[in-house]
PDB file of all heavy atoms in Angstrom:
ATOM      1  N   THR A  70     116.894 -14.813  -9.031  1.00 97.00           N
ATOM      2  CA  THR A  70     117.538 -13.971  -8.025  1.00 97.00           C
ATOM      3  C   THR A  70     118.837 -14.588  -7.500  1.00 97.00           C
ATOM      4  O   THR A  70     119.304 -14.229  -6.420  1.00 97.00           O
ATOM      5  CB  THR A  70     116.579 -13.713  -6.845  1.00 97.00           C
ATOM      6  OG1 THR A  70     116.203 -14.970  -6.276  1.00 97.00           O
ATOM      7  CG2 THR A  70     115.349 -12.942  -7.303  1.00 97.00           C
ATOM      8  N   SER A  71     119.409 -15.508  -8.262  1.00 98.00           N
ATOM      9  CA  SER A  71     120.679 -16.129  -7.872  1.00 98.00           C
ATOM     10  C   SER A  71     121.665 -16.103  -9.027  1.00 98.00           C
ATOM     11  O   SER A  71     121.270 -16.020 -10.200  1.00 98.00           O
ATOM     12  CB  SER A  71     120.464 -17.574  -7.433  1.00 98.00           C
ATOM     13  OG  SER A  71     119.666 -17.645  -6.272  1.00 98.00           O
ATOM     14  N   ALA A  72     122.934 -16.180  -8.676  1.00 98.00           N
ATOM     15  CA  ALA A  72     123.995 -16.215  -9.680  1.00 98.00           C
ATOM     16  C   ALA A  72     125.074 -17.183  -9.229  1.00 98.00           C
ATOM     17  O   ALA A  72     125.130 -17.565  -8.045  1.00 98.00           O
ATOM     18  CB  ALA A  72     124.591 -14.821  -9.875  1.00 98.00           C
ATOM     19  N   SER A  73     125.919 -17.573 -10.157  1.00 98.00           N
ATOM     20  CA  SER A  73     126.999 -18.510  -9.838  1.00 98.00           C
ATOM     21  C   SER A  73     128.266 -18.147 -10.586  1.00 98.00           C
ATOM     22  O   SER A  73     128.211 -17.642 -11.719  1.00 98.00           O
ATOM     23  CB  SER A  73     126.611 -19.942 -10.221  1.00 98.00           C
ATOM     24  OG  SER A  73     125.551 -20.416  -9.440  1.00 98.00           O
ATOM     25  N   LEU A  74     129.377 -18.405  -9.937  1.00 98.00           N
ATOM     26  CA  LEU A  74     130.693 -18.293 -10.568  1.00 98.00           C
ATOM     27  C   LEU A  74     131.296 -19.682 -10.595  1.00 98.00           C
ATOM     28  O   LEU A  74     131.308 -20.368  -9.565  1.00 98.00           O
ATOM     29  CB  LEU A  74     131.593 -17.356  -9.773  1.00 98.00           C
ATOM     30  CG  LEU A  74     133.059 -17.291 -10.233  1.00 98.00           C
ATOM     31  CD1 LEU A  74     133.165 -16.545 -11.561  1.00 98.00           C
ATOM     32  CD2 LEU A  74     133.941 -16.623  -9.171  1.00 98.00           C
ATOM     33  N   ALA A  75     131.764 -20.101 -11.738  1.00 98.00           N
ATOM     34  CA  ALA A  75     132.419 -21.396 -11.860  1.00 98.00           C
ATOM     35  C   ALA A  75     133.882 -21.198 -12.238  1.00 98.00           C
ATOM     36  O   ALA A  75     134.208 -20.372 -13.090  1.00 98.00           O
ATOM     37  CB  ALA A  75     131.722 -22.266 -12.898  1.00 98.00           C
ATOM     38  N   ILE A  76     134.733 -21.970 -11.564  1.00 98.00           N
ATOM     39  CA  ILE A  76     136.151 -21.991 -11.900  1.00 98.00           C
ATOM     40  C   ILE A  76     136.466 -23.421 -12.327  1.00 98.00           C
ATOM     41  O   ILE A  76     136.395 -24.350 -11.523  1.00 98.00           O
ATOM     42  CB  ILE A  76     137.037 -21.617 -10.696  1.00 98.00           C
ATOM     43  CG1 ILE A  76     136.565 -20.317 -10.032  1.00 98.00           C
ATOM     44  CG2 ILE A  76     138.500 -21.484 -11.149  1.00 98.00           C
ATOM     45  CD1 ILE A  76     137.299 -19.975  -8.743  1.00 98.00           C
ATOM     46  N   SER A  77     136.785 -23.580 -13.590  1.00 97.00           N
ATOM     47  CA  SER A  77     137.115 -24.914 -14.077  1.00 97.00           C
ATOM     48  C   SER A  77     138.631 -25.034 -14.202  1.00 97.00           C
ATOM     49  O   SER A  77     139.322 -24.032 -14.407  1.00 97.00           O
ATOM     50  CB  SER A  77     136.448 -25.180 -15.426  1.00 97.00           C
ATOM     51  OG  SER A  77     136.864 -24.209 -16.361  1.00 97.00           O
ATOM     52  N   GLY A  78     139.146 -26.242 -14.053  1.00 96.00           N
ATOM     53  CA  GLY A  78     140.593 -26.410 -14.114  1.00 96.00           C
ATOM     54  C   GLY A  78     141.285 -25.582 -13.044  1.00 96.00           C
ATOM     55  O   GLY A  78     142.200 -24.816 -13.322  1.00 96.00           O
ATOM     56  N   LEU A  79     140.833 -25.738 -11.802  1.00 97.00           N
ATOM     57  CA  LEU A  79     141.328 -24.947 -10.671  1.00 97.00           C
ATOM     58  C   LEU A  79     142.854 -24.951 -10.615  1.00 97.00           C
ATOM     59  O   LEU A  79     143.491 -26.003 -10.772  1.00 97.00           O
ATOM     60  CB  LEU A  79     140.746 -25.499  -9.375  1.00 97.00           C
ATOM     61  CG  LEU A  79     140.924 -24.676  -8.105  1.00 97.00           C
ATOM     62  CD1 LEU A  79     140.144 -23.370  -8.190  1.00 97.00           C
ATOM     63  CD2 LEU A  79     140.467 -25.488  -6.890  1.00 97.00           C
TER      64      LEU A  79
END
Side-chain angles (χ1 to χ4, degrees):
Chain A
T70 59
S71 296
S73 294
L74 173 72
I76 310 173
S77 58
L79 191 66

